[in-house]
C-alpha cells in the first residue's frame, strides 16, 4: 500500500512536470514563429495579473473596512449595554435600600 502511494505521487509529479515543460516548449515555439505576437500575449497576461492583484487588494480593503465597522459597532453596543446595566443596578440598589429603610421604621 505504501509503495502504491509513492508510485501515484511520482506519476502525478511527472504529469505536472510534463505539463510545465510542454507549456515552456509551446511558448518557445510561439516566440520563434511569431515573436511580436508572443510578446504581446505575454504582456496581456502580465496586465491581467496586475489587474487581478489590484482587484484582490480592493476587495481585501473593503472586507477589512467592513470588519472594522462591525467591531466598532459591537464596541459601541457593548458600552451602551454596560451603561444601561450599571444604571439598572444602581436603581435596584436604591429601591432595595429604600425598602429596607421603610421596614426598619
Amino acid at each position: 500500500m505504501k509503495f502504491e502511494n509513492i508510485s501515484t505521487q511520482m506519476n502525478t509529479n511527472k504529469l505536472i512536470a510534463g505539463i510545465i515543460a510542454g507549456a515552456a516548449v509551446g511558448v518557445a515555439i510561439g516566440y520563434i514563429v511569431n515573436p511580436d505576437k508572443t510578446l504581446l500575449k505575454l504582456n496581456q497576461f502580465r496586465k491581467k495579473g496586475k489587474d487581478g492583484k489590484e482587484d484582490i487588494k480592493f476587495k481585501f480593503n473593503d472586507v477589512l473596512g467592513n470588519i472594522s465597522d462591525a467591531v466598532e459597532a459591537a464596541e459601541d453596543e457593548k458600552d451602551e449595554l454596560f451603561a444601561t446595566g450599571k444604571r439598572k443596578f444602581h436603581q435596584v440598589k436604591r429601591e432595595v435600600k429604600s425598602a429596607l429603610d421603610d421596614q426598619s421604621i
Side-chain angles (χ1 to χ4, degrees), residues 18-38:
I19 290 171
I20 292 171
V25 169
V27 169
I29 290 173
Y31 184 74
I32 291 170
V33 172
N34 194 349
D36 294 332
K37 190 171 184 179
T38 304

Side-chain angles (χ1 to χ4, degrees), residues 9-68:
Q9 184 179 6
M10 287 176 56
N11 286 339
T12 302
N13 290 343
K14 287 179 183 178
L15 175 66
I16 292 171
I19 290 171
I20 292 171
V25 169
V27 169
I29 290 173
Y31 184 74
I32 291 170
V33 172
N34 194 349
D36 294 332
K37 190 171 184 179
T38 304
L39 291 176
L40 178 66
K41 287 290 182 189
L42 288 174
N43 287 333
Q44 288 174 346
F45 287 137
R46 285 186 191 124
K47 184 178 181 321
K48 286 182 181 180
K50 287 180 184 178
D51 291 346
K53 181 179 172 184
E54 292 299 319
D55 190 40
I56 289 171
K57 280 183 183 179
F58 177 76
K59 288 179 181 178
F60 178 77
N61 288 333
D62 188 40
V63 168
L64 191 60
N66 290 340
I67 291 171
S68 178

Side-chain angles (χ1 to χ4, degrees), residues 78-94:
K78 173 203 56 120
D79 292 342
E80 186 178 317
L81 287 172
F82 181 78
T84 301
K86 190 174 179 180
R87 280 193 305 274
K88 287 184 179 185
F89 169 77
H90 288 296
Q91 179 184 358
V92 169
K93 183 179 171 183
R94 283 191 302 273

